[in-house]
């Protein structure tokens, strides 16, 4: 039930992610980057969006070397679920927990807009309840959101539908590790958990975390 | 030296009279650092010496006002125990010099003003003016300013939810970048900047102090520095990562009650922050300049006036200094005790063990001279004679061209570069009338907008000032909000020349009349004068930032048509005119003066209709007239519309004429009677003009059909701005 | 054909937020004694023409560097 939400200097979406976890019926525990261990009883980890360390050097590079990441790696190796959203996706790639890297958008600018995603790999705990082909309306907002990797070996969990994917290889919006328990996602599901804000489609991902 | 240099005070921008006045107030000649400090604190920028007397004409009080003008930001009650802090500020000149950093640091400054109230910043808006995009320089300034605003706002995690941009030759030499921020704070956590408690520590938090933004560095150099050091950078580089840490850390400390007072370091840096904190609290402050962390060696005067960004000054009880420094350490922020609060009221600074400054703080903060500006009315322009305006031969083509004009076209190219969602409270995104942001943990929301009416202000400043306020109120009312508070940025040319002083007064009076009719107080603001070059002066450009309240975020209304068969109606009775309109494309003629009480009633009717959930859409009729408003509502809803309009004096005037006080609304067919009764009870005209549906925006103009396909309209409206930037 | 390497660095005295963030990260990773970090850009060009250095300097003035906040250095190889 308990989901750890990491926080680095420059994290921005930790509170929205915690709210989404609570909406999904779980409890969220904020974990400071300098901790050596995740809290006991952590079932899933969310690395929220933001500009950790100002995106300096490379987005996610400095945060991926934070102390708490050692325990996140151990958690992942045990098969624990990890969701990296936007900057969190960048952190997971920099940490070597996900394949590939995130490059600057093809527009060479920040892009904030609603996107439609399609589930392309339903054989993972993150996507199983949604099912293959399910469509989700979730916003993106990033500078460096173009995934670069080998789609023949990587598991692409979600793809952008029917629009420019900002230069992402294979229109990938979300990428899984081999096991399917670590998910990196460029769009922001925590911004899509309330119909008042335009969509509640993102809630399914937090429900998956809570069910871990 | 062989040449005769003018006296230092003149090089610093002080008049001979002002220099004499400083001598008289001090009872001696000021030291060099003191003279530099006076020159900045007594500048127009810090003291508003040419506008202060006129600003007193604004209404600033109301039952919900918790803090009026004079603090870092104004604060009003918004219910449920929440207060909202709001302020708008200009960063025009720095943006003209280096648009990316200038615009970015403008955002940083206004966010720290909100933070200084103990409030969490939850929304940003930006009001921009540039020259026409045919000019390469204007394209550069515009694109880089937008990038800078995005860079900063995105990185600090405060959503940029709205704003406006307009292009006109008059801004070619002097662009305008005004940034507005709104924050929320629980009533009992509101902070202020008045220092108190002699013996308390003064702690500087944030970035090191460098030679950033030291105005007139050459002047400082002539007195103190050799020529090598003369070429110091005055461009401030933004550091949004540090700003975000400042927000997180200061709010954490404020939440624990660790601050006695808090103030941001803006113009004139440590000088203004410390003198204002001391003067407001009726106490003194002693600063140890040797303790200030520096990025490079600086003279005492430079340390005192450096405008290095991302710094805050806090008054902290001596027993809690360790706690403050520890919290800052955790956030990897520098925090240094640089002084203490004293009895007596003087600002005193020591460097290398020597007292270099010792002046009553209020002389710096409060006793700058105030000047009257010359009041010379401009000749009243004549209303346009319609026969002098060529009628477009093809009204549909004119309509399409208007939709593609940068002043009308979708601003998606701009707001797509801004994170307008972070925080997960944005109920209505940019692109509509006003933005709607939910209050954290509440069903209530605030609505936010910025509006100006510069061409109208040029032609008839009093009516234009009122029009700017009324347009802001109307855009709030269109989303269902009741206007609650305003902040304003008065961007004007040189007030000592020509009719500018008169225009300034007239604009303020016009704004005040409308604000009083709406019951909306001005709680904060900013004045930016001298926006002119040798050859070109800007229009008088008051930018009105306004906040409205919605009791139910879920009751907010969007501007897109909702369902096939819905009734489409025109609310308000104003007569459209082409004077000063976007179709005309210049400030010519004389727009009709707004009927202020009638427009206030329109706002009340719209808000009540939204609260009673009678509206399916509502949209302000602004630039481009009713034709553009209809097209925008159709495009936003992805649904066409068919209306019939009386032809009036001439078709183009009916379609594209402006003149405030109208809104295009839609409702269920079976809700029309109720809506009509509601508007009648407010004495506001409401006329059924057509029906939503189909794939065209079609107007029957007294028997003459004028129509655009939705695709055709979308193509013009969605690509207009990007095309102009190519 | 000349190979030109241009180094663009934040001007001395101008805040370098990136260098500051990297310096903090190095300290956290245990690298002691790093007293200053500045981060800039390296741009490599292959240029034909008589005076590649002058051309590169003009490119810096007009585009590659922002003279208000950045310095540049031009090195010409063969």
């Amino acid at each position: 039930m308990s989901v750890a939400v990491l926080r680095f200097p420059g994290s921005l979406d930790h509170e929205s992610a915690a709210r989404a976890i609570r909406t999904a019926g779980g409890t969220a525990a904020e974990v400071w980057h300098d901790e050596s261990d995740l809290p006991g009883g952590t079932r899933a980890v969310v690395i929220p969006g933001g500009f950790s360390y100002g995106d300096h050097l490379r987005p996610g590079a400095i945060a991926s070397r934070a102390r708490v990441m050692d325990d996140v790696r151990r958690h992942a190796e045990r098969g624990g679920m990890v969701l990296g959203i936007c900057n969190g996706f960048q952190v997971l790639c920099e940490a070597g927990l996900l394949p590939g890297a995130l490059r600057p958008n093809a527009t060479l600018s920040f892009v904030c807009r609603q996107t439609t995603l399609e589930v392309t790999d339903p054989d993972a705990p993150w996507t199983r309840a949604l099912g293959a082909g399910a469509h989700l309306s979730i916003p993106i907002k990033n500078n460096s959101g173009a995934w670069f990797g080998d789609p023949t070996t990587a598991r692409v969990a979600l793809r952008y539908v029917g629009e420019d994917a900002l230069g992402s290889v294979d229109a990938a919006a979300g990428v899984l590790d081999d096991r399917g328990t670590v998910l990196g996602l460029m769009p922001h599901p925590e911004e899509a958990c309330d119909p008042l804000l335009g969509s509640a489609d993102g809630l399914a991902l937090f429900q998956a975390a809570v069910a871990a | 030296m062989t040449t005769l240099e003018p006296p230092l005070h003149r090089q610093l921008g002080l008049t001979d009279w002002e220099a004499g006045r400083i001598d008289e107030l001090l009872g001696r000649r000021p030291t060099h650092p003191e003279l530099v400090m006076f020159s900045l604190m007594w500048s127009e920028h810090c003291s508003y010496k040419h506008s202060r007397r006129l600003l007193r004409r604004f209404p600033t009080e109301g039952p919900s006002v918790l803090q009026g003008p004079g603090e870092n930001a104004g604060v009003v009650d918004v219910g449920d125990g929440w207060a909202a802090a709001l302020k708008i500020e200009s960063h025009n000149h720095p943006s003209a010099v280096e648009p990316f950093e200038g615009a970015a640091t403008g955002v940083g400054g206004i966010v720290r003003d909100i933070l200084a109230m103990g409030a969490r910043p939850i929304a940003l808006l930006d009001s921009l003016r540039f020259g026409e995009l045919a000019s390469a320089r204007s394209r550069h300034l515009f694109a880089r300013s937008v990038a800078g605003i995005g860079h900063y706002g995105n990185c600090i995690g405060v959503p940029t939810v709205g704003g406006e941009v307009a292009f006109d030759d008059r801004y070619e030499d002097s662009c305008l970048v005004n940034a507005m921020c709104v924050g929320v704070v629980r009533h009992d956590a509101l902070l202020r900047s008045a220092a108190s408690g002699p013996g308390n520590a003064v702690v500087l938090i944030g970035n090191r102090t460098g030679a950033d933004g030291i105005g007139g560095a050459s002047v400082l150099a002539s007195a103190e520095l050799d020529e090598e050091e003369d070429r110091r950078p005055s461009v401030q580089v933004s550091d949004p990562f540090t700003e975000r840490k400042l927000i997180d850390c200061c709010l954490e400390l404020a939440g624990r009650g660790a601050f006695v007072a808090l103030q941001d370091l803006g113009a004139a840096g440590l000088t203004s922050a410390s003198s204002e904190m001391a003067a407001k609290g009726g106490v003194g402050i002693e600063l140890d300049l040797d303790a200030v962390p520096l990025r490079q060696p600086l003279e005492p005067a430079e340390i005192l006036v450096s405008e290095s960004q991302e710094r805050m000054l806090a008054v902290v009880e001596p027993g809690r200094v360790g706690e403050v420094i520890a919290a800052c350490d955790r956030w990897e922020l520098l925090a240094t005790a640089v002084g203490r609060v004293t009895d007596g009221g003087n600002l005193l600074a020591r460097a290398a063990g020597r007292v270099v400054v010792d002046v009553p703080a209020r002389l710096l903060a409060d006793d700058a001279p105030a000047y009257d500006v010359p009041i010379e009315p401009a000749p009243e322009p004549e209303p346009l004679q319609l026969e002098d305006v060529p009628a477009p031969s093809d009204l549909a083509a004119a309509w399409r061209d208007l939709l593609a004009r940068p002043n009308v076209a979708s601003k998606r190219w701009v707001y797509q570069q801004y994170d307008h969602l972070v925080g997960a409270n944005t109920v209505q995104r940019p692109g509509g009338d006003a933005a709607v942001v939910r209050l954290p943990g509440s069903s209530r929301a605030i609505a936010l907008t910025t509006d100006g009416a510069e061409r109208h202000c040029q032609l008839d400043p009093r009516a234009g000032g009122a029009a700017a306020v009324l347009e802001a109120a109307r855009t709030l009312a269109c989303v269902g909000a009741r206007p609650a508070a305003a902040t304003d940025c008065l961007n004007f040319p040189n007030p000592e020349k020509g009719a500018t002083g008169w225009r300034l007064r007239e604009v303020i009076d016009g704004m005040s009349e409308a604000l009083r009719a709406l019951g909306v107080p001005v709680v904060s603001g900013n004045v930016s004068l001298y926006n002119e070059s040798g050859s070109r002066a800007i229009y008088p450009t008051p930018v009105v930032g306004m906040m409205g309240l919605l009791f139910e975020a879920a009751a907010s209304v969007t501007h897109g048509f909702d369902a096939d068969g819905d009734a489409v109606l025109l609310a308000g009775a104003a007569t459209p005119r082409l004077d000063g309109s976007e179709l005309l494309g210049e400030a010519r003629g004389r727009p009709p003066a707004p009927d202020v009480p009638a427009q206030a009633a329109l706002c009340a009717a719209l808000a009540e209709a939204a609260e009673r959930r009678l509206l399916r859409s509502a949209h302000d009729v602004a630039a481009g007239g009713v034709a553009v408003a209809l097209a925008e509502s159709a495009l936003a809803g992805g649904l066409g519309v068919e209306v019939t309009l009386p032809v009036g004096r001439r078709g183009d005037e009916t379609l594209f004429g402006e003149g405030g006080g109208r809104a295009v609304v839609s409702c269920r067919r079976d809700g029309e009677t109720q809506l009509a009764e509601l508007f009648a009870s407010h004495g506001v005209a409401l006329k059924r003009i057509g029906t939503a549906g189909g794939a065209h925006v079609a107007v029957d103009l007294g028997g003459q059909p004028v129509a655009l396909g939705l695709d055709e309209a979308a193509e013009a409206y969605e690509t207009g701005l990007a095309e102009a930037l190519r | 054909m000349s190979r030109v390497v241009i180094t663009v660095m934040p001007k001395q005295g101008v805040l370098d937020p990136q260098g500051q963030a990297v310096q903090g990260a190095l300290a956290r990773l245990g690298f002691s004694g790093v007293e200053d970090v500045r981060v800039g850009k390296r741009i490599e060009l292959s240029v034909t023409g008589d005076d590649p250095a002058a051309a590169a300097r003009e490119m810096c003035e007009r585009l590659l560097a922002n003279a208000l906040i950045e310095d540049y250095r031009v090195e010409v190889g063969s």
Side-chain angles (χ1 to χ4, degrees), chain B residues 215-279:
Chain B
S218 58
V219 173
L220 296 181
S222 69
E224 297 276 333
L225 305 167
D226 65 29
E227 283 190 4
E228 269 308 287
E229 283 171 291
D230 197 314
R231 292 185 294 271
R232 298 202 159 190
S234 67
V235 171
Q236 304 151 9
V237 173
S238 61
D239 182 0
F241 173 50
T242 296
E243 180 102 340
R244 176 65 201 196
K245 293 191 292 183
L246 269 181
I247 295 171
D248 282 325
C249 182
C250 287
L251 288 177
E252 182 184 311
L253 285 166
R256 288 196 234 146
F259 295 136
V260 175
L262 190 62
Q263 163 85 28
D264 90 298
L265 276 77
L270 206 46
T271 295
S272 64
S274 56
S275 63
E276 283 170 12
M277 292 180 95

Side-chain angles (χ1 to χ4, degrees), chain B residues 88-90 92 125-128 176-180 489 491 543:
Chain B
I88 190 165
E89 206 164 68
S90 63
N92 301 337
L125 297 92
D126 301 280
S127 178
L128 312 175
L176 303 184
V177 174
N178 293 180
M180 172 175 166
C489 192
N491 306 276
V543 171

